[in-house]
Amino acid sequence: MWPLDSTGAADLLEPGPSQLPPDAAPPDASEEPAAAEVAGAPGPGRCWLCSSSPCGWCAEREAKKKGPCPGLGLFYTLLSAFLFSVGSLFVKKVQDVHAVEISAYRCVFQMLFVIPCLIYRKTGFIGPKGQRIFLILRGFLGSTAMILLYYAFQTTSLADATVITFSSPVFTSIFAWIFLKEKYSLWDALFTLFTIIGVTLIVRPPFLFGANTKSMEESYSGHLKGTFAAIGHAIFAALTLVILRKMGKSVDYFLSIWYYVILGLVECVILLFILGEWSLPSCGLDRLFLILIGLFGLGGQVFLTKAIQIEKAGPVAIMRTMDVVFAFIFQIIFFNDVPTWWTVGGALCVVASSTGAAIHKCQSSK
């Protein structure tokens, strides 16, 4: 998320002496309040318009003027889900470029955006001494999660991969319980069970759904690889979030992204040389898709961050599930692939568990 600097917020709410009119100050600091009122000036802390202390009308008017538009955070979340879904669609469309290479191009694109931000904020490129190990882990785990996500989009259906990635909040609760000693309640265990059921319905292992996998025997191997890649993404994304919680606000968000793109680019280059898959896209349309993947991914992150800043976590978590709806719609429209009822049932289980986990975590934190 891209935090806003709240330093000086109190100064904006309470005007200092320099903001008062020149003739507003009482003639003598030791003068009685009654004398000041006789002179036509309100007492200390009183409003210059209505002479009340505190001024309810002015405070209400200021709050209305500065408060966000109702529902704006949910609109930002919806827009973020749409942009992420469109980016996923482009990843699915680019079949001639390996998922690792797509990840490398996105790292380069984000690097060009993050470097000016770091220079402007004067945070440096290394980070605090005690947090560097966590920044390295964040970068490695986050980039690995990105590679696995793109591989899942390319090898299995768009809806299946998207749904499974929504199991990340459940893994986050487990890892936070293990590493951060956070409470793991019976509700969390129930959400985990729902996630396992949902993923099982999507994977449809032959020993449970033998009759339903015979017709897709040729493509089931790819479906299974994509499913495990999506589960791996959910696990690595959960570990990344736990590390971000561990660091807290001691590390600037842009510095965290910097480690993510630098280590991600190094990891992608090494993997591409090992796999021998490094090559420029042969089609101009694929090159356009690579640029759009970076643009839509960045736009989705920006709007999601703005939504979290002005809206509660519970409603944002619920609205985020629209990502699954968009994935189903795009899969039907652009790939003529109607999801099975098993996928729909699995999606309901996973989305319900992830949303419930997020809302429960929000309520328990209050």
Side-chain angles (χ1 to χ4, degrees), residues 14-27:
E14 298 182 5
S18 61
Q19 295 171 285
L20 299 178
D23 57 345

Side-chain angles (χ1 to χ4, degrees), residues 174-236:
I174 296 175
F175 292 139
W177 170 55
I178 296 174
F179 298 109
L180 301 181
K181 307 303 178 183
E182 294 185 5
K183 184 179 179 181
Y184 188 79
S185 64
L186 291 176
W187 281 106
D188 295 319
L190 180 63
F191 297 143
T192 303
L193 178 62
F194 264 84
T195 300
I196 294 174
I197 294 174
V199 173
T200 302
L201 292 176
I202 294 173
V203 177
R204 300 189 297 280
F207 65 90
L208 292 177
F209 303 85
N212 294 295
T213 58
K214 287 181 179 179
S215 59
M216 53 179 295
E217 185 174 353
E218 294 183 359
S219 60
Y220 186 75
S221 175
H223 170 73
L224 199 60
K225 292 178 182 178
T227 299
F228 281 117
I231 295 174
H233 162 80
I235 293 174
F236 280 99

Side-chain angles (χ1 to χ4, degrees), residues 74-356:
L74 297 181
F75 173 75
Y76 283 156
T77 308
L78 180 63
L79 185 57
S80 169
F82 176 77
L83 294 176
F84 279 132
S85 298
V86 175
S88 304
L89 173 64
F90 289 141
V91 173
K92 184 71 175 177
K93 282 286 188 180
V94 183
Q95 290 291 339
D96 295 332
V97 182
H98 198 277
V100 180
E101 188 174 355
I102 297 177
S103 303
Y105 283 117
R106 179 169 177 178
C107 288
V108 173
F109 180 85
Q110 287 189 330
M111 187 189 306
L112 298 177
F113 177 82
V114 171
I115 290 177
C117 295
L118 288 176
I119 296 175
Y120 174 77
R121 296 170 72 90
K122 299 179 181 179
T123 59
F125 293 86
I126 301 179
K129 187 176 181 180
Q131 302 290 347
R132 292 171 190 171
I133 182 63
F134 296 112
L135 285 169
I136 293 174
L137 286 174
R138 183 265 185 273
F140 172 74
L141 295 175
S143 59
T144 304
M146 176 179 59
I147 294 172
L148 290 173
L149 177 63
Y150 288 170
Y151 182 78
F153 284 143
Q154 287 189 335
T155 53
T156 190
S157 68
L158 190 63
D160 289 354
T162 303
V163 169
I164 294 175
T165 58
F166 268 79
S167 62
S168 180
V170 175
F171 291 110
T172 302
S173 300
I174 296 175
F175 292 139
W177 170 55
I178 296 174
F179 298 109
L180 301 181
K181 307 303 178 183
E182 294 185 5
K183 184 179 179 181
Y184 188 79
S185 64
L186 291 176
W187 281 106
D188 295 319
L190 180 63
F191 297 143
T192 303
L193 178 62
F194 264 84
T195 300
I196 294 174
I197 294 174
V199 173
T200 302
L201 292 176
I202 294 173
V203 177
R204 300 189 297 280
F207 65 90
L208 292 177
F209 303 85
N212 294 295
T213 58
K214 287 181 179 179
S215 59
M216 53 179 295
E217 185 174 353
E218 294 183 359
S219 60
Y220 186 75
S221 175
H223 170 73
L224 199 60
K225 292 178 182 178
T227 299
F228 281 117
I231 295 174
H233 162 80
I235 293 174
F236 280 99
L239 288 171
T240 301
L241 185 57
V242 169
I243 291 175
L244 290 175
R245 284 187 188 177
K246 179 68 176 180
M247 291 189 297
K249 297 182 179 180
S250 61
V251 177
D252 189 272
Y253 179 72
F254 287 101
L255 186 61
S256 174
I257 299 178
W258 168 251
Y259 271 82
Y260 164 68
V261 296
I262 283 295
L263 294 180
L265 182 59
V266 172
E267 181 181 0
C268 290
V269 171
I270 293 175
L271 288 175
L272 286 172
F273 275 110
I274 294 175
L275 298 173
E277 294 285 348
W278 186 273
S279 62
L280 287 175
S282 57
C283 176
L285 189 61
D286 286 345
R287 299 178 185 180
L288 176 62
F289 284 160
L290 290 176
I291 297 175
L292 292 177
I293 288 170
L295 286 175
F296 280 97
L298 182 60
Q301 185 66 37
V302 169
F303 282 109
L304 179 60
T305 302
K306 292 180 70 66
I308 294 175
Q309 289 171 348
I310 63 178
E311 187 59 78
K312 295 180 180 179
V316 170
I318 295 175
M319 187 61 71
R320 273 298 311 275
T321 58
M322 287 300 297
D323 200 342
V324 177
V325 177
F326 288 132
F328 275 68
I329 294 175
F330 291 160
Q331 179 173 315
I332 296 173
I333 294 177
F334 294 98
F335 301 101
N336 196 25
D337 183 7
V338 180
T340 64
W341 287 109
W342 296 111
T343 298
V344 174
L348 292 177
C349 291
V350 173
V351 170
S353 65
S354 62
T355 304

Side-chain angles (χ1 to χ4, degrees), residues 28-32:
D28 186 20
S30 61
E31 188 173 357
E32 296 292 333

